[in-house]
Amino acid sequence: MRLPFPILSSCLVSFLMASLPRALAQSDAAPPAAADAQGEVKGSRSFEIPAADASESLASFSRQSGSALVYVVEQVRGVRTQGIRGHFRPRDALERLLTNTDLTVAEDRRTGALIVKRSPPSRPSERGSMPASSRSESSSSPNSPMTPSLMSRLAAALAAFSGTALSAQTNSSPGANAARDDTVQLSPFTVVSEKEYGYRATNSITATGIGSEIYRTPISISVVTSDLIRDLGAGSLREALLYSTSVTGDRRDPGSSGTGGSAMRGFATQLLVNRLSASVRNPVPYFIERVEIVKGPNAVFFGRVAPNGVLNVITLKPKSSTETIAHATYGSYDFVNLFLDQNLKLGDRVSLRLAGNWLDQRSGSYDYTYRRSESGYAALKWDFTSTISLNVTASIDHGKENKLSVSPRTNPAYIAYTRANPTSTLGLIQWGAQFVAPNTPVVTDYYNDLYDPTTVFSSGVRGNNNGPDAFQEDWNTFVQTELLGTFGDGLSARLAHAYGDNEFEILEHIGYPTFNGTFPLAAPNYRGTKTRGNTLEAEAVASFSLLGTRHQLLLGGRLYFPRTGSFAAAGRAYTWNHLTQGDRRIIRDGYPNGLVKPAVVYASGDETALYAIDQISLWDDKAKVLAGVRRTEVENNTGLAGAATLSQTETTPQVGLLLEPVKGWAFFGNYSRSFEPQFNVDAEGKIATNVEGEGYEFGFKSQLLDGRLSGTVSYFDLTRKGEVRRDFTRETLTGKVPLFIPGGTQAAHGAEFELYYNPKPNLQFIFNYTRLWEANVTQDITQPFIVGARLRNAPPYSSALWTRYTVPSGRLQGLFFTGGVRASGEIIPIVNALFSIRQPGYVNVDAGVGYEGKLLGRPVTIGLNVKNVLDREFYDGQWTLADPRTAYLKIETRY
């Protein structure tokens, strides 16, 4: 099975989606009220809410009541509410809170959610004269029709589904409201989250496939919000993740795979965009709404992944109002970034968002380095009916960079050694491995040796040895189409398609010196990869009650068709002498010395999967059970003439349990398996078995002080086993080559602590700490001497603290300060069987200051970010040389 041309397939899916509303029009009819509406509450609760603006007091009410509450921020802002203190039923407490205001209470008959609205302006005589209880009772009478605004009704359904309070940011037109008498039920595949707590997000859709409250999900989840990304001054996705738990970076250049080579808990991390595989290398941070970090195997949701989890980038969504955002940044080393974001409200049902980003760093912090990119983004939301909506997202990005390259080839000590040892095979062995006896690993200090010209491993320079004309360049394109719908009380469906296309190229020099310091083998090396893929996913969620328990049963299927190719070519070699021609290799022209770009042969790895996950609520939501299973089949073809298609299948289960014996404290456990297919075929025609991942995790989550304090503490144990190795013993005995044996195993176990704390609305803290007691190679049949070696990007500990303080009042109102400290332990990754590199631990400090207010009558934000305040020299992730102290001045306005 193959999909047609990607753009055409997206259009076809969109057409099919657009044809559904007429056939499903009956789904708009309001069904009878649910017998066990989630908004129903039993007994009284303790309330202590001071008199305040309604936007603040309603937020306090939602946290203290635990009831589903919906209100439009613009409608309630400016209304002064009463203060209440004591034990009340939530409905009674809300009515007391709104006494002597023009705010009324209504109840959604379907979901039971409480809705706060303003009285119509045409009836001023009734404002404040009718007791709140009378107004609310008449509004919520089961025999009276309800016509809340579209945004309120959308938010109400999700609020009842997730058990959290939501506030719509805009209101639809009165005429449109009057014309609609149906009750909207929002699809559980959509997450709407009010940013009540700044950096803290309350909901996630990545971990369980549907919108779920993070606190009540038996999986470790971290969320990087757009507020945090902005305050960090992140210029890349990797920088946006620097203060996240367990996530470490590898290379900062845009040509590196995934998220810039990010790893988590010791293993490489898969990147998704809007929950779909899209072959995107480096999403533009300004196009990101949030990043959800889901930890653990969790393959029941994501298919073939490593056992550590995934990173899911959720891109910008259209807003329900017309707004323009302009942003400009200027910084050290001629850094310039311009960003423009246009939101358009096209009638009552259609919203469009267009954005563009341009970045130019004309000279980097080291010789011969630069970075440039141009990007465009578009997102469309079309509500066909009150229960069916279409989302289309598209992005295109082009980036080019001259990366930092460090090698020992120009080091005077290196050349001196070759002169003293003319018979040495220096040019045939990588890096420093030739200086040790066979089978004897050596650890060298990469950081110190880099700048010490007397050591053999140093480049002796701080720059790009490849010269000013070397480059790496990539192009990213993705198009995603998604249809969401709800049908009746308990059924929702999702149909989505994604197409991603990435091309990466690099031009550099290769070669090794001889004893006299020349490079007879030096040549321009041109190589790259091309990846494109189509993903089609269909899911349905059935919500129902059974024997006193509530269920959300997710059934889904996925088709994924990736195509990956690579190429490499070298131009004519030439001789270059360090002693007479300087310490740089200079590349001229685009493709010098007869270099010809070769054809690309594409390999495929088609995936078909079916999965089922049930999320069960017990004992008034004091217990949550998650159970699921996924069946995945992967077919591989190398693309070469006559190549056979190979197939691998795997079943991956997952179970999780969460208990909340005391309000605000929940204990959870999670077990899952994952897999990564291998398609090595031996001389007997046997296919290597899959790499298997297995992991469990347990700990507790907290949500205290009305949600102002929340955190997660967990212990995890992960195993990845089954990487094939050559079975040299059997090859010798049988004479058959090659023969394989599953002889590679790695393991990681440790603990994580993550805390969000908002002691005051204008003060925020994020703190996290990770301890990796083990992240090592535990078995290797053919290389037993590397057993015990540390996995890449797996420091024994890492921690981060980030804070923001805003002056709340007075002459300095709107002034804010940000700052953070990151620390990492020593990393000793394996380069090859004989050689490892030690990268010492480090402590880094970042800071910022800014102002949020109005300038010339327009909202404006002005900020200054200073990174690496102490100007330390260290490797921030494996082989990623951190920038020296840099400063970035930014200004943003909205109109």
Side-chain angles (χ1 to χ4, degrees), residues 561-576:
F561 306 121
R563 298 293 179 269
T564 303
S566 61
F567 62 89
R572 293 189 297 270
Y574 66 97
T575 299
W576 173 62

Side-chain angles (χ1 to χ4, degrees), residues 564-645:
T564 303
S566 61
F567 62 89
R572 293 189 297 270
Y574 66 97
T575 299
W576 173 62
N577 191 306
H578 288 289
L579 304 180
T580 61
Q581 294 177 273
D583 61 356
R584 299 287 192 276
R585 300 186 298 280
I586 305 301
I587 297 177
R588 302 296 183 190
D589 304 322
Y591 308 109
N593 301 322
L595 190 71
V596 177
K597 183 175 180 179
V600 179
V601 177
Y602 289 95
S604 63
D606 298 348
E607 175 185 319
T608 304
L610 295 173
Y611 48 94
I613 302 102
D614 193 9
Q615 299 177 62
I616 309 168
S617 297
L618 308 165
W619 307 321
D620 292 331
D621 285 345
K622 292 183 178 180
K624 297 277 188 179
V625 177
L626 183 150
V629 64
R630 185 186 189 105
R631 180 68 171 176
T632 306
E633 179 180 3
V634 182
E635 294 184 345
N636 180 75
N637 190 296
T638 62
L640 300 175
T645 298

